[in-house]
């Protein structure tokens, strides 16, 4: 391993370059860039991961089909946008259509997720949790492949992001704006707004609704919740549906993002990133998911900046760091930032 | 077990079983009963007959694998040639069965027997593969490019063993989902690293190929005549073997040579699982607290099981790289490679050592008949069906295009459906279900089952 490190990560030993970079780090434009991009990424990570947290918190099921659901969301949302938007559609109309797509995708995927839970996962709750994980993994395989078939049959290439859907973004978001001297894509501001809305929405759901209460109670002590006479089975169906719906919204959020975009590969990519966020935050914890998305998002934008300055010439740095963060967190604090020790006994 | 006190040789007979399940105490009673109903007048049998009898299942499987290429060759000359090439796995697919089967077995070795789901098992497979590729290109310091493959195989396995020790030392502080996730995390870190590691080749995300012209030579050390070169299209081929008029192509040479490696690894793993050590592994799976309370230092047992598993996964990766003459991050280190092993283990039967091999066979068979090449079901249907049927429009596309879209290269879809059905309805997998049916490890019960039908 030492050999690999020595040759693989060509950390520049040029001292002036490091000093120069450090001095540049504390310039307002650099900080603004890292912060705004980081918050934008954090918003995306939050929406992608929060559904996974809800499902795990209550049910103890690590939902491997979460990424596939986000992929479906991206394609369904993309389809709506491509149908609704033409060249002459104005910015406001495009944003309005976007929110229509969010609502539509949420409705469709919530129904879909509930159906899957009711018909496939419910029969095997009496088995060890591993079988529920395996089942959702199988569902992910099927969904990904069916999507590939449909996308191929419709002449949309399955692997590179679907450019027609990405092109529906209003010019407002694709342009760059000057923030404290740093050119920042408008989309990031939009993502931050959406992220704040999502955090507020999920927080209200968890703290101001009956099912939110069930979920919070269920992630603390599932046996007690059951003993109190709450129909946990029905709560499972609803929460799995909501988790799927949130994954779908996450997919719609990715639709305009140049780093993601609708593609069949999302099924795995989203899943891995959502896992990282959920585990760093602590499985089943809402506060943890918020904190972990901020941590991961800002780390991501910081390492991206680090790479762009030429201090590190290793192109895989952002992805490497994010998975490294996961490993580090599990070593230092296995239950995650806000996690309870041994959540749900899994 | 019905061991005759007058026949000490019976003692040394390993209680072989194609699936080597270590029974729970209840099963043990069951098999003692079964043993006593089996013919006990075996004192006049010599040890070889007894050994053969105990390993009947193994012999049958090995014979089936050994004869398969010959059967394929014979079928190729009969009128059924088209059907054979469309519906039976070809020789190249069978080689994939061998190394992926070994990898899935090594995954099952730790995940099925200690109950710790190793979600980053591809890290060891990839280590094995990259050691071979880099060493054959002369890029591993201290290892010349012309090192014999047997040495590289061991080097790859030992390095995978060391990587597994390092990962295990940190990961075994956790259990359940957390263990699965930390192993996945480690594997993904290595994957991202290798994918961008320029030392490997000009385009590291594409991986590297072995640049030497000849195949890597596998064989028995110090016995030159048994050395054969393996590698797709670069190995040895033999014409008119032993004057029998049988030609052995380079692919077939690889098949047999790699098959021997896999067989040796299988028996090594089987032997470990049947030892007291293996019994502790199962004890950990069934109840870790109790195993600790009995006085076993479970951490070191888990470490040993994990790194032994890494060792065999490294061999699987090395065999793959030698045959494919190259490796890329996506077909060695990636998360989905572990997922493939998991699918094979579940379909074959998790917790049965040989099961994953049958899972691999099923997996590759499906992939082979739904291939994008010209010898799959889609091509077969196009030749079989009349032209006017093929050009019928179905949902806006011709039937022939429809076949191309839903069949060609669509193995993951059908695999996913079958996987879900297995998880729902056949949770014990193929071999596990057969074992439940015959009431014990298949290899052990097979003689008794056969006896029932003998008269």
């Amino acid at each position: 391993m030492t050999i690999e490190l020595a040759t693989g990560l060509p950390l520049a030993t040029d001292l002036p370059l490091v000093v120069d970079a450090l001095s540049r780090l504390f310039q307002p434009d650099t900080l603004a860039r890292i912060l705004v991009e980081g918050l934008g990424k954090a918003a995306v990570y939050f929406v992608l991961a929060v559904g996974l947290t809800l499902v795990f918190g209550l049910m103890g099921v690590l939902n491997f089909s979460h990424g596939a659901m986000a992929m479906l969301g991206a394609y369904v949302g993309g389809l709506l946008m491509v149908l609704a938007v033409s060249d002459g559609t104005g910015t406001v109309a495009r944003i309005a259509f976007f929110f229509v797509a969010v609502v539509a995708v949420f409705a469709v995927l919530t129904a879909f997720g509930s159906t899957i839970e009711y018909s496939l996962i419910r029969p095997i709750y009496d088995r060890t949790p591993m079988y529920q994980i395996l089942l959702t993994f199988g569902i992910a395989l099927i969904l990904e492949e069916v999507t590939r078939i449909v996308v191929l049959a419709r002449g949309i290439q399955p692997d590179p992001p679907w450019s027609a859907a990405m092109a529906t973004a209003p010019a407002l978001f694709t342009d760059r704006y000057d923030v404290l001297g740093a050119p920042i894509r408008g989309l990031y501001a939009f993502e931050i707004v959406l992220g704040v809305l999502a955090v507020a929405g999920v927080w209200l759901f968890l703290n101001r609704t009956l099912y939110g209460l069930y979920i919070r109670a269920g992630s603390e002590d599932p046996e007690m919740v059951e003993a109190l006479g709450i129909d946990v089975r029905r709560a499972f169906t609803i929460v799995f549906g909501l988790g799927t719906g949130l994954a779908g919204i996450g997919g719609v959020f990715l639709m305009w993002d140049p780093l993601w975009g609708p593609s069949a590969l999302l099924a795995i990519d989203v899943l891995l990133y959502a896992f990282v966020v959920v585990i760093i935050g602590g499985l089943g914890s809402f506060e943890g998911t918020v904190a972990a998305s901020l941590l991961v998002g800002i780390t991501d934008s910081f390492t991206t900046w680090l790479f762009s300055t030429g201090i590190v010439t290793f192109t895989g740095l952002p992805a490497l760091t994010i998975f490294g963060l996961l490993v580090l967190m599990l070593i230092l604090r296995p239950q995650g930032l806000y996690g309870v020790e041994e959540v749900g006994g899994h | 077990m019905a061991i005759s006190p007058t026949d000490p040789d019976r003692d040394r007979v390993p209680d072989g079983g194609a699936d080597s399940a270590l029974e729970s105490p209840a099963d043990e009673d069951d098999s003692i009963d079964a043993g006593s109903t089996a013919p006990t007048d075996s004192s006049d049998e010599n040890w070889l007959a007894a050994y053969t009898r105990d390993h009947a299942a193994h012999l049958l499987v090995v014979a089936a694998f050994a004869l398969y290429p010959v059967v394929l060759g014979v079928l190729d000359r009969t009128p059924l040639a088209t059907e054979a090439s469309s519906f039976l796995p070809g020789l190249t697919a069978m080689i994939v069965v061998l190394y992926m089967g070994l990898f899935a077995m090594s995954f099952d070795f730790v995940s099925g027997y200690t109950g710790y789901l190793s979600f980053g098992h591809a890290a060891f497979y990839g280590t094995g593969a990259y050691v071979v590729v880099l060493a054959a290109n002369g890029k591993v310091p201290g290892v010349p490019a012309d090192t014999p493959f047997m040495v590289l195989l061991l080097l790859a396995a030992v390095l995978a063993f060391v990587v597994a020790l390092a990962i295990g030392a940190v990961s075994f502080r956790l259990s359940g989902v957390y263990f699965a996730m930390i192993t996945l995390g480690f594997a993904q870190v290595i994957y991202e690293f290798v994918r961008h590691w320029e030392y490997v080749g000009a385009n590291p995300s594409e991986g590297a190929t072995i640049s030497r012209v000849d195949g890597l030579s596998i064989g028995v050390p110090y016995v030159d005549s048994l050395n054969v070169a393996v590698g797709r299209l670069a190995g040895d081929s033999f014409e008119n073997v032993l004057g029998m008029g049988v030609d052995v192509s380079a692919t077939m040479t690889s098949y047999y040579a790699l098959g021997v490696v896999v067989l040796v690894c299988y028996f090594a793993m089987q032997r470990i699982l049947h030892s007291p050590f293996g019994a502790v592994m199962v004890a950990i799976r069934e109840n870790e607290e109790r195993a600790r309370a009995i006085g076993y230092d479970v951490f070191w047992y888990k470490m040993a099981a994990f790194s032994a598993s890494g060792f065999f996964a490294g061999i699987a990766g090395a065999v793959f790289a030698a045959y494919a003459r190259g490796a890329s991050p996506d077909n060695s280190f990636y998360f989905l490679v572990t997922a493939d092993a998991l699918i094979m283990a579940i379909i074959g039967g998790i917790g049965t050592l040989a099961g994953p091999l049958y899972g691999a066979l099923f997996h590759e068979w499906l992939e082979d008949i739904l291939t994008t090449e010209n010898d799959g079901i889609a091509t077969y249907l196009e030749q079989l069906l009349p032209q006017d049927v093929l050009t019928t429009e179905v949902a806006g596309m011709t039937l022939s295009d429809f076949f191309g879209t839903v069949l060609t290269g669509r193995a993951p879809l059908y695999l996913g459906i079958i996987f879900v059905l297995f998880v729902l309805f056949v949770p014990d997998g193929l071999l596990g279900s057969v074992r439940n049916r015959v009431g014990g490890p298949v290899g052990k019960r097979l003689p008794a089952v056969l006896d029932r039908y003998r008269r």
Side-chain angles (χ1 to χ4, degrees), chain B residues 81-416:
Chain B
T82 334
E83 280 77 9
S85 70
S86 303
F87 292 103
L88 290 176
L91 204 54
T92 48
M94 289 303 282
I95 296 176
V96 184
V97 170
L98 290 177
Y99 61 74
M100 274 314 280
L102 178 60
F103 177 53
M105 280 194 263
S106 79
F107 169 81
D108 190 34
F109 181 87
V110 66
S111 297
Y113 283 86
T114 65
Y116 277 77
L117 211 54
S118 167
F119 244 75
H121 223 63
F124 316 131
Y125 183 74
T127 305
Y130 266 74
V131 165
V132 167
V133 172
L134 291 180
N137 287 344
K139 283 189 168 178
V140 177
V143 182
D146 56 351
T147 311
F149 179 60
M150 278 310 255
V151 178
L152 289 186
L153 201 63
L154 278 178
L155 181 72
V158 168
L159 267 175
F161 179 88
V162 172
V163 172
L165 271 182
I167 294 180
V170 177
S171 308
F172 276 115
R173 297 161 66 234
L174 309 168
S175 63
V177 168
Y178 295 90
F179 179 81
M181 283 301 128
I182 195 169
T183 46
L184 172 69
F186 272 116
Q188 282 298 111
V189 167
I190 302 177
Y191 165 75
E192 292 293 350
F193 174 72
V194 171
R195 209 152 75 97
H196 301 277
W197 189 29
E198 281 158 10
Y199 185 70
V200 174
N203 190 352
S205 61
E206 296 282 307
T209 50
I210 295 177
S211 54
R212 34 192 279 200
V213 199
D214 55 330
L216 295 163
S217 122
I218 197 169
V220 182
Y222 309 114
V223 187
D224 286 342
S225 60
L226 289 178
N227 269 335
V228 290
V230 298
R232 188 164 53 201
L233 307 176
D236 286 342
S237 61
F238 300 94
E239 283 171 13
N240 199 8
V241 176
L242 302 175
M244 292 190 300
V246 179
D247 293 341
V248 179
S249 65
T251 314
M252 213 188 275
T253 309
S254 300
Y255 174 76
Y256 286 117
L258 302 182
V260 171
V261 174
V262 172
L263 188 68
V264 169
C265 291
Y266 168 75
F267 276 112
M269 281 192 271
Q270 207 231 9
R271 204 74 286 271
I272 298 173
L273 290 173
H274 277 281
S275 70
F277 177 82
V280 179
M281 284 169 66
V282 176
I284 291 171
R285 177 185 74 192
E286 297 300 328
N287 192 331
E288 189 168 342
E289 280 76 33
R290 200 176 288 175
R292 192 182 293 120
I294 298 169
Y296 290 113
D297 189 346
V298 289
F299 176 79
W300 286 107
Y301 276 93
K302 289 187 288 190
M303 282 288 279
F306 191 65
S307 40
S309 167
F311 185 89
F312 292 112
I315 292 185
V319 162
F320 150 68
Y323 167 68
R325 297 182 60 76
S328 77
D330 283 305
N331 64 20
S332 59
F333 278 106
Y334 195 38
F335 161 69
L336 288 183
V337 180
T338 310
D340 274 342
L342 174 76
I343 294 173
M344 291 170 186
I346 295 294
I347 290 181
I350 197 157
T352 62
L353 185 60
L357 182 68
Y358 303 115
L361 187 59
F362 181 80
H363 186 290
E364 293 310 323
W365 169 74
L366 204 61
E367 216 142 73
D368 193 61
I369 62 168
L370 299 174
T371 174
T372 47
E373 315 271 314
N374 271 335
D375 50 2
I377 286 189
T379 322
Y380 180 73
L381 285 176
E382 275 182 26
Q383 286 164 358
L384 186 78
L385 297 172
Q387 199 56 42
D388 51 331
V389 175
L390 282 173
T391 46
T392 320
E393 296 263 318
V394 177
M397 59 167 89
T398 65
L399 202 58
S400 137
D401 285 346
F402 180 74
F403 287 148
T405 317
V406 301
L407 289 178
T408 307
R410 290 293 157 219
L413 173 65
Y414 301 100
L415 203 65

Side-chain angles (χ1 to χ4, degrees), chain A residues 4-333:
Chain A
E4 291 182 2
L5 282 176
T7 48
L9 282 175
L11 289 161
T13 45
D14 232 344
L15 203 60
L17 186 67
V18 176
V19 173
D20 177 48
L22 273 179
S23 67
R24 261 195 290 157
L25 175 61
F26 292 105
Q27 301 292 316
D29 63 325
T30 311
L31 289 175
R33 182 182 153 181
I34 291 176
L35 193 68
V36 176
E37 287 191 5
L39 287 176
K41 287 178 174 177
V44 171
Y45 287 138
F46 172 78
V47 187
L48 289 176
V50 70
L52 199 63
T53 287
L54 292 189
V55 171
F56 189 87
L58 183 69
M59 305 162 66
V61 172
L62 202 56
N63 179 13
F64 267 75
S65 63
H66 195 79
M69 302 298 186
M71 176 197 67
L72 283 187
Y75 272 114
V76 174
L79 184 69
L80 291 174
M81 293 304 290
V82 169
L83 288 178
V85 171
S86 62
D87 284 343
T89 316
T91 302
V92 178
R94 287 183 189 221
I95 295 175
F97 281 136
F98 178 83
F99 283 103
V100 172
V102 165
V103 172
V105 165
F106 182 70
V108 169
L109 280 176
T110 303
F112 183 59
S114 304
T115 317
I116 287 208
E117 197 280 343
Y118 189 80
S119 56
L120 294 176
I121 308 180
R122 184 171 280 211
I124 60 164
Y125 275 123
D126 49 348
R127 295 209 213 135
T128 57
M130 196 185 79
Y131 281 98
Q132 294 142 28
I133 294 176
L134 292 175
L135 186 73
T136 52
F137 177 64
I139 294 169
L141 281 181
I142 298 174
L143 288 180
E144 186 185 342
E145 212 52 33
V146 169
T147 309
R148 278 177 190 275
I149 290 178
V150 173
V151 162
L152 202 66
R154 293 280 149 222
I156 306 162
Q157 283 299 307
D159 280 350
W162 183 19
S163 48
M166 298 181 80
T168 57
L172 186 68
F173 297 155
T174 49
D175 290 347
R176 288 173 186 275
Y177 300 91
D178 193 72
V179 179
L180 295 174
I184 302 221
R185 203 183 285 268
L187 184 68
Y188 284 115
F190 183 57
E191 282 178 349
I192 293 170
V193 173
L194 291 176
V196 170
L197 284 178
V199 171
V202 178
W203 186 86
L204 284 175
F205 168 73
L206 282 174
N207 290 286
R208 293 284 182 271
T209 65
L210 192 60
Y211 273 96
L213 184 69
Y214 292 173
I215 294 173
R216 281 183 295 135
S219 53
E220 292 287 327
D221 193 340
E223 280 88 18
M224 198 62 192
V225 172
E226 210 160 3
L228 288 171
I230 292 164
D231 187 351
V232 177
R233 286 285 164 100
R234 199 174 63 192
F236 280 4
T237 308
I238 291 173
V239 169
F240 196 86
L242 289 176
T244 307
L246 285 169
I249 295 186
V252 184
F253 278 32
L254 298 182
M255 191 172 63
W256 289 342
D257 200 316
L259 297 173
W260 304 79
S263 87
L265 301 173
L266 284 184
I268 296 298
D269 287 351
V270 164
L271 184 70
L272 292 177
Y273 280 99
F275 276 167
V276 171
V277 170
V278 163
I279 285 163
I280 290 179
L283 280 162
S285 154
F286 171 74
E287 293 88 345
T289 309
V290 179
S293 354
L294 288 172
L295 181 64
V296 173
I298 290 181
T299 310
D300 189 349
S301 74
F302 175 68
T303 46
T304 309
W305 171 80
L306 211 56
F307 170 69
S308 71
T309 56
I311 303 176
V312 180
T313 53
F314 187 70
T315 41
L317 190 69
L320 192 77
T321 318
I322 287 170
F323 288 108
L325 213 56
L326 166 79
V327 168
L328 197 69
M329 179 54 78
L330 280 168
I331 293 171
L332 297 177
R333 204 178 142 79

